[in-house]
Amino acid sequence: VWTRDAIRITRYMFFLNFVNNNKREIAYAPSFGQVRFEVTAEEHALVSKYLSKFDAISVREQSGKDILKNQFGIEAQHILDPVFLIDIKDYDKLAEESKVDTSEDFALAYILDPTPDKEEFIRKSAEKLGLKVKIILDGRKGTYDRNRAKFAYFNDEHILPNMEVVDWVKYFKDAKYVLTDSHHGMAMAIIYNKQFIVYANRGRGYTRFTSLLNLLGMADRMIDNFNQVDESLIFSDIDYNKVISKLNQERDTAHKWLTKALKCKIKDKSKISFKPDKSTERPLSQFEILESNHEFKKIRLLATLLRDYGVKHVVLSPGGRDVPLIRMFEHNEDQFILHRVTDERSAAYFGLGLASQLRKPVACVCTSGTAASNYLPAVTEAYYTGVPLIMITADRRGYYLNQGEDQTIPQKGIY
């Protein structure tokens, strides 16, 4: 997603800021989510730079197309959400892996942001349909208990616990009716040709809902409050013959666009530069300064490799040179479990204990110079006992060595 919140959380990663200029850059159906892209002048300038490097851009909603044209001078194509591009049989394969029992008829409510009004919407709709309701809440980490507490009427018999993706798909496949405040909940209902009602969710990209519904001629399926739910809406059947016909046209357009984009000529990006608006008083943030730093890209690669190899626990020791390393892990706390131990000798033994107990690799991060030397006793013990420790340290430029520079020692191969 191309939103202000995404920039706050992931900085400019979704704008492919880490990609080298000789690579083809394609945006397939990202979403601005709103009718306006409201960011600071500095952020706008950086986004403009990164967007200008793309070789092909499409967006998920009409408002995104308007934003790109009016705010960045970029022509883009409004295109179908990627969840519609694979065959329904691929979703069925996922559902087949699920072990949940869906033999009893039910209405499925997939709700991202529970409110009393939405609870009444679900209760009233299920009552008129004469169906038992199963409720799935937002699956983001750490949200279940908070969201569960917002529903007073429904109990644990109705509200499903956090689940695997295969279970999520199976519930959509086998539901008799779908009630949702989620764009992708709505999309899954359409994929499985379900009768549905969507509750407008203005905090989750309202224009995503309206663009898709208008595209498929289904705007009447959306409500803004539970008072709009009546029998004429609930029992008015969606004509899926017309919907599927339109959907297939849009799928064909999307596949053609993507095929063309994958073969397009790569732009000359060597002269594209960041020119911030000097009228703003806000200085560049630490992350924005680091964005153009080649070493920072290496830090991202490091964090990505640790994540992909399943390293979850990271022991951090504060310093000066390792601040960018520490910030990277702190900005990705949903991927890593962080432990803060100030003294490096203690930190290394703490990591050794964790790795011994978990029987999995643990990473330790320290600053440059003799800080790395303080890891040596634990590293020695880890080596001779076969315990997997990953020691990560910042370093200084090689040309500072043997110049009397403080805290500058030959760190490569230090152990």
Side-chain angles (χ1 to χ4, degrees):
V1 288
W2 286 348
T3 63
R4 182 174 54 190
D5 281 346
I7 292 174
R8 176 178 57 82
I9 296 167
T10 67
R11 304 311 298 158
Y12 301 94
M13 185 172 67
F14 291 162
F15 295 95
L16 303 187
N17 64 315
F18 54 89
V19 174
N20 292 333
N21 286 343
N22 64 337
K23 304 296 183 183
R24 182 179 288 104
E25 298 179 46
I26 300 169
Y28 183 90
S31 170
F32 286 97
Q34 305 294 333
V35 294
R36 288 182 298 277
F37 184 58
E38 296 178 337
V39 292
T40 67
E42 295 282 356
E43 289 165 341
H44 191 282
L46 272 170
V47 168
S48 181
K49 169 196 169 183
Y50 296 134
L51 288 175
S52 65
K53 291 174 64 181
F54 276 86
D55 299 286
I57 297 179
S58 61
V59 283
R60 200 185 308 173
E61 67 271 301
Q62 180 60 40
S63 61
K65 182 177 177 179
D66 297 337
I67 287 170
L68 286 169
K69 183 176 181 179
N70 298 332
Q71 293 188 226
F72 298 99
I74 293 172
E75 294 289 344
Q77 188 166 339
H78 175 202
I79 213 159
L80 208 58
D81 188 297
V83 296
F84 291 103
L85 294 198
I86 63 172
D87 194 280
I88 193 170
K89 292 177 182 177
D90 294 306
Y91 288 113
D92 288 342
K93 287 177 184 176
L94 289 175
E96 286 169 9
E97 296 178 31
S98 174
K99 301 296 190 293
V100 296
D101 181 8
T102 57
S103 56
E104 184 182 5
D105 287 353
F106 64 94
L108 176 65
Y110 177 44
I111 303 296
L112 300 181
D113 301 299
T115 65
D117 200 79
K118 290 177 188 176
E119 184 174 42
E120 189 62 17
F121 153 58
I122 298 168
R123 187 194 67 76
K124 186 176 178 181
S125 301
E127 186 179 273
K128 288 184 179 295
L129 288 164
L131 290 171
K132 182 179 179 179
V133 66
K134 294 182 183 291
I135 301 172
I136 301 176
L137 300 173
D138 187 356
R140 288 184 301 176
K141 183 179 178 182
T143 61
Y144 178 81
D145 290 335
R146 182 173 69 249
N147 286 334
R148 171 69 187 84
K150 292 177 182 178
F151 275 165
Y153 178 81
F154 294 106
N155 56 35
D156 291 339
E157 180 187 358
H158 303 98
I159 300 177
L160 301 167
N162 288 330
M163 63 186 65
E164 298 297 321
V165 170
V166 293
D167 301 329
W168 186 86
V169 174
K170 186 171 176 62
Y171 277 115
F172 274 99
K173 179 182 178 182
D174 294 342
K176 295 299 179 185
Y177 208 100
V178 173
L179 310 165
T180 187
D181 68 345
S182 158
H183 166 75
H184 284 113
M186 177 178 68
M188 288 300 292
I190 295 169
I191 287 167
Y192 274 114
N193 294 186
K194 302 295 179 181
Q195 303 300 318
F196 71 89
I197 302 173
V198 60
Y199 192 114
N201 193 334
R202 297 181 184 277
R204 299 283 189 126
Y206 179 69
T207 59
R208 294 175 205 155
F209 295 86
T210 55
S211 287
L212 181 58
L213 290 171
N214 288 331
L215 190 68
L216 300 178
M218 306 169 78
D220 60 331
R221 306 307 300 185
M222 187 162 68
I223 63 168
D224 286 291
N225 59 73
F226 86 89
N227 289 318
Q228 294 174 275
V229 177
D230 56 29
E231 291 188 3
S232 64
L233 173 60
I234 290 176
F235 296 108
S236 62
D237 286 347
I238 299 167
D239 184 349
Y240 270 106
N241 288 326
K242 291 182 179 179
V243 172
I244 292 168
S245 176
K246 180 63 177 173
L247 206 51
N248 286 336
Q249 291 176 25
E250 295 297 330
R251 284 187 177 119
D252 185 55
T253 298
H255 279 118
K256 286 178 180 176
W257 184 91
L258 189 54
T259 301
K260 183 179 178 182
L262 287 166
K263 297 176 181 178
C264 71
K265 183 179 179 181
I266 299 174
K267 288 181 181 177
D268 178 7
K269 304 168 187 178
S270 60
K271 296 180 181 178
I272 298 173
S273 61
F274 167 47
K275 296 180 180 178
D277 182 352
K278 298 299 182 181
S279 64
T280 178
E281 295 182 1
R282 188 180 74 81
L284 283 172
S285 69
Q286 183 184 51
F287 255 80
E288 287 166 333
I289 293 169
L290 289 170
E291 285 295 337
S292 60
N293 187 322
H294 183 62
E295 300 301 319
F296 188 64
K297 294 177 182 178
K298 291 182 180 178
I299 293 171
R300 280 194 165 161
L301 286 171
L302 170 67
T304 302
L305 286 167
L306 289 172
R307 180 200 67 190
D308 289 352
Y309 277 108
V311 177
K312 296 290 291 183
H313 292 266
V314 183
V315 184
L316 304 176
S317 297
R321 297 282 297 170
D322 65 341
V323 166
L325 282 162
I326 289 174
R327 289 288 180 266
M328 175 56 67
F329 289 111
E330 288 178 339
H331 277 269
N332 290 278
E333 284 201 71
D334 59 329
Q335 304 289 337
F336 300 100
I337 300 168
L338 306 183
H339 310 271
R340 293 169 175 82
V341 183
T342 303
D343 174 69
E344 289 90 1
R345 191 174 190 275
S346 301
Y349 275 110
F350 185 88
L352 180 68
L354 269 178
S356 299
Q357 186 179 48
L358 298 170
R359 304 184 69 81
K360 292 180 179 179
V362 170
C364 299
V365 178
C366 73
T367 194
S368 63
T370 55
S373 302
N374 290 320
Y375 278 168
L376 183 58
V379 169
T380 304
E381 187 168 334
Y383 177 78
Y384 285 104
T385 55
V387 176
L389 274 184
I390 302 168
M391 317 313 282
I392 301 167
T393 173
D395 202 355
R396 307 212 168 201
R397 301 292 180 190
Y399 50 75
Y400 286 127
L401 279 170
N402 305 314
Q403 305 294 322
E405 183 72 19
D406 183 45
Q407 286 292 310
T408 304
I409 62 173
Q411 288 179 219
K412 291 183 179 179
I414 191 171
Y415 306 126

